[in-house]
Amino acid sequence: TARRELAIHATIAVAGILILIALALREARAVVLIMAILPISFSGGIVATWAFLGGHLELGAMVGLATLFGLTLRNGLLLLIHMRRLMEGSGKPWSAEIARQAAADRLPAILITACVTALGLLPLALATGSPGDAIEGPMAIVILGGLVTATILTLFVLPILAPHLLRIAAPKADGLD
């Protein structure tokens, strides 16, 4: 019952999130790009589930995947928004250089977020199997495994793909010069 309810609520949440991302990015290709990196970012969490939990996708692991979903979306969204702001602020056309600069600018924030999250979850992951740890341990393991792939995707893959797949238009002149 809990899994079914989680799936229903997750579907509703994903629909709402897609709408909010579309409003923030104002480009369908950007929404598709963000959503396309999610399965790959989940791969680290799935591998961790297989390696440390015997491949059983328990309720705690599902909660970990939902958390990983949010972390990946947040980092990717912030990176794409920063790319747009850099382009608008510099007056340069959309390019791979803008994407690389945005990734370099966001590198410290993304790495610090990943490291602090990992350090906070490490005790829970190490205590997996302890009495009363049915939710927290599997959740922590999935998030830790997924943080690796999600961070790599955000910092290295997204900046490579974005210039090829997105068409961010230069800001329109408003004639107020």
Side-chain angles (χ1 to χ4, degrees):
T1 302
R3 286 183 187 177
R4 187 178 74 242
E5 286 184 22
L6 181 62
I8 291 168
H9 290 101
T11 302
I12 294 167
V14 167
I17 289 167
L18 284 174
I19 291 168
L20 292 173
I21 291 172
L23 290 172
L25 296 176
R26 302 179 302 257
E27 185 180 349
R29 286 180 180 214
V31 175
V32 170
L33 179 59
I34 291 277
M35 295 308 288
I37 68 171
L38 285 174
I40 300 167
S41 74
F42 285 174
S43 65
I46 299 297
V47 167
T49 300
W50 178 76
F52 297 105
L53 301 173
H56 298 112
L57 196 60
E58 302 166 1
L59 182 60
M62 292 172 66
V63 171
L65 287 175
T67 304
L68 188 57
F69 176 86
L71 288 169
T72 304
L73 281 180
R74 176 194 169 274
N75 286 341
L77 183 63
L78 290 175
L79 183 60
L80 289 176
I81 289 170
H82 188 60
M83 287 178 190
R84 176 175 281 137
R85 286 186 184 147
L86 276 179
M87 188 189 73
E88 291 173 355
S90 70
K92 294 179 182 178
W94 175 235
S95 65
E97 178 187 340
I98 295 284
R100 281 191 302 271
Q101 181 63 45
D105 290 350
R106 292 290 176 223
L107 176 75
I110 290 171
L111 285 180
I112 289 170
T113 300
C115 289
V116 169
T117 302
L119 286 173
L121 291 172
L122 196 57
L124 293 174
L126 293 175
T128 299
S130 301
D133 182 49
I135 301 287
E136 294 170 345
M139 177 192 70
I141 288 171
V142 168
I143 294 171
L144 285 171
L147 271 176
V148 174
T149 53
T151 302
I152 290 169
L153 279 170
T154 302
L155 291 174
F156 301 107
V157 177
L158 193 59
I160 291 170
L161 293 178
H164 299 292
L165 301 176
L166 302 181
R167 307 288 179 252
I168 298 177
K172 296 177 184 175
D174 53 2
L176 297 176
D177 291 87

